[in-house]
Amino acid sequence: MKDEDIIHNEVLVTRRSDAESWLRQTIERMSQPGINWSRKFSLFNYPFVTACCGMEFMSVNGPRYDMAQYGAEFPRFSPRQADLIWIVGTITQKQAPILRRVWEQMAEPKWAIAFGVCASTGGFYDNYCTVQGADRIIPIDVYIPGCPPRPEQILDGLRLLMDKIQTEHGRVMV
Amino acid sequence: MSVLALEKLKRRFGDDILESHSKLGDDTVLVKAERLYEVAQFLKDDPELQFDMPIDNTAVDWWQVSEPRFEVIWHLYSTVKHMRIRVKVRVGEDNPTCASLTPLWPGMNWHERETWDMYGVRFSGHPNLKRVLMYEEFVGYPLRKDYPITKRQPLIEERIVREVPTQRNPPPDMLNQP
Ligand code: SF4
């Protein structure tokens, strides 16, 4: 058999793709929980703090509520180095292009949390200058209600996101 | 406290002071728009008054309530004599222009820019009259009473999210009900 025949032999080609997909699926199945586990415990934050919710965000970051216990205490002020954007506070129409630019600059995989009612829905600012929820600008994974939310709620939201990350499926390139 | 200021203003400017009162201790004068700058200059320079601190500048829109439509308001404080005064002028809708007090109190700069931004009242003599809070692409003046209450002007295209029905934003089948 010549080389060309092997390449064009349907049976062999099918077997090869079968083997490849089996290999990929196995690697994915075996490695995904581990990859997700390591991702969810090393979230690098980008705090997009625009309004009063920022005070509550600071208190969660402080030693009393100790976000470090979930591995999410490290703020990166460069979107290139962040996995998780916290949208903390009101997003105005003027701010929206900046938010989208920051989101586009973040490298995959990336997640977003809307912190407080303003970021989730616009809150009570149903007016000319406020975006009615940051999900109109970027996709949001977890919404945390409250004005501002209590630290327990915030940690709960973070745990929800961590659960979500644990169940995610990725593709392995072989 | 500054009834003194009202007295002095009335003595000095006579008929150019259209109204004055000190209800609840808030001394207020309504002056003719043309004489505003001189009144303000007097309030600042008079040795017995010395209103040296700009507190605020804002406007009131009396749309369909009274004419002329806009009332532009300055609040001043005297750190020397510890007095406050409120100075108002009225400007019409077709040409809402009055003198800028920024040359007298540089601190009025951003206040007047905000009034321009929100109400579209023009201040002649202002060094840098452009929007301060809204973006340049914004059309109209959002705090005017005739600005549509639900009108938004997004700078970038918004993602499509499911609209949650509210009173203001009812689902389509509710509109067709008798
Ligand atoms: S949700 Fe409340 S506390 Fe948070 S930014 Fe909005 S108004 Fe401020």
Side-chain angles (χ1 to χ4, degrees):
Chain A
M1 228 184 216
K2 283 184 288 181
D3 277 1
E4 282 166 32
D5 290 341
I6 296 175
I7 290 170
H8 295 296
N9 184 315
E10 275 188 19
V11 177
L12 286 184
V13 169
T14 319
R15 290 223 174 119
R16 185 167 168 218
S17 74
D18 275 359
E20 265 180 14
S21 75
W22 177 85
L23 183 64
R24 186 189 301 126
Q25 279 175 11
T26 312
I27 294 176
E28 277 173 14
R29 209 176 313 126
M30 290 176 67
S31 61
Q32 199 68 52
I35 290 173
N36 286 344
W37 179 85
S38 52
R39 277 178 182 165
K40 79 174 183 181
F41 282 115
S42 66
L43 290 167
F44 280 25
N45 301 331
Y46 181 90
F48 194 87
V49 180
T50 54
C52 21
C53 269
M55 304 313 290
E56 210 60 49
F57 185 71
M58 290 168 211
S59 88
V60 183
N61 261 307
R64 187 176 179 88
Y65 291 98
D66 191 19
M67 232 159 45
Q69 65 188 309
Y70 303 116
E73 85 283 17
F74 201 26
R76 305 305 302 206
F77 294 103
S78 158
R80 299 268 186 228
Q81 301 168 347
D83 309 309
L84 167 61
I85 183 170
W86 293 80
I87 302 155
V88 184
T90 328
I91 302 298
T92 55
Q93 303 285 9
K94 206 175 175 178
Q95 197 79 27
I98 302 166
L99 175 59
R100 180 165 295 168
R101 172 69 66 89
V102 167
W103 174 251
E104 284 167 356
Q105 282 175 340
M106 285 168 64
E108 293 277 358
K110 55 189 178 182
W111 297 276
I113 289 185
F115 186 114
V117 280
C118 284
S120 305
T121 66
F124 40 76
Y125 300 114
D126 187 0
N127 60 12
Y128 57 91
C129 64
T130 308
V131 179
Q132 299 298 296
D135 50 4
R136 291 179 188 239
I137 309 298
I138 65 172
I140 302 286
D141 292 294
V142 175
Y143 301 81
I144 305 176
C147 177
R150 283 201 50 84
E152 297 83 6
Q153 271 172 288
I154 297 156
L155 294 180
D156 187 40
L158 183 65
R159 293 306 307 252
L160 278 175
L161 180 70
M162 287 164 69
D163 291 347
K164 183 174 177 183
I165 294 172
Q166 184 63 63
T167 55
E168 270 178 0
H169 293 287
R171 287 294 303 273
V172 174
M173 310 303 254
V174 256
Chain B
M1 258 299 270
S2 64
V3 179
L4 172 70
L6 299 189
E7 293 299 323
K8 289 195 79 139
L9 280 177
K10 270 188 254 178
R11 223 176 303 135
R12 172 85 203 274
F13 291 96
D15 287 347
D16 295 330
I17 307 293
L18 301 175
E19 268 175 37
S20 74
H21 68 74
S22 46
K23 221 179 272 172
L24 304 173
D26 290 342
D27 303 299
T28 305
V29 283
L30 177 67
V31 303
K32 263 190 197 161
E34 305 84 58
R35 300 298 300 274
L36 170 70
Y37 194 84
E38 288 142 62
V39 170
Q41 181 102 54
F42 176 75
L43 286 172
K44 189 185 179 194
D45 292 344
D46 191 274
E48 278 183 89
L49 303 175
Q50 301 189 37
F51 285 99
D52 51 358
M53 186 173 175
I55 301 289
D56 196 13
N57 166 240
T58 183
V60 179
D61 184 0
W62 293 105
W63 185 49
Q64 293 183 342
V65 176
S66 75
E67 280 292 321
R69 179 170 166 185
F70 295 106
E71 205 166 54
V72 190
I73 301 161
W74 284 265
H75 290 116
L76 303 172
Y77 182 65
S78 164
T79 56
V80 186
K81 305 289 178 191
H82 304 296
M83 297 187 295
R84 287 174 193 276
I85 195 168
R86 179 187 300 146
V87 182
K88 300 197 222 178
V89 301
R90 296 200 141 186
V91 290
E93 183 175 3
D94 37 320
N95 182 25
T97 305
C98 64
S100 165
L101 300 189
T102 307
L104 291 176
W105 294 280
M108 280 297 183
N109 191 323
W110 282 23
H111 291 303
E112 288 179 352
R113 277 176 68 186
E114 190 191 359
T115 307
W116 155 249
D117 193 355
M118 295 290 150
Y119 292 92
V121 175
R122 216 169 281 115
F123 294 92
S124 54
H126 193 286
N128 183 25
L129 196 63
K130 56 179 193 189
R131 289 189 183 276
V132 64
L133 293 174
M134 303 309 293
Y135 33 98
E136 285 299 327
E137 293 86 347
F138 196 84
V139 180
Y141 303 102
L143 291 198
R144 284 193 178 186
K145 295 288 179 213
D146 51 359
Y147 185 85
I149 193 164
T150 52
K151 186 172 170 196
R152 301 201 178 86
Q153 305 182 20
L155 277 176
I156 51 175
E157 202 185 328
E158 297 192 338
R159 298 172 68 242
I160 295 165
V161 292
R162 192 167 60 84
E163 280 284 344
V164 180
T166 59
Q167 244 176 357
R168 255 195 216 168
N169 191 359
D173 51 325
M174 239 170 85
L175 288 174
N176 298 332
Q177 279 170 10

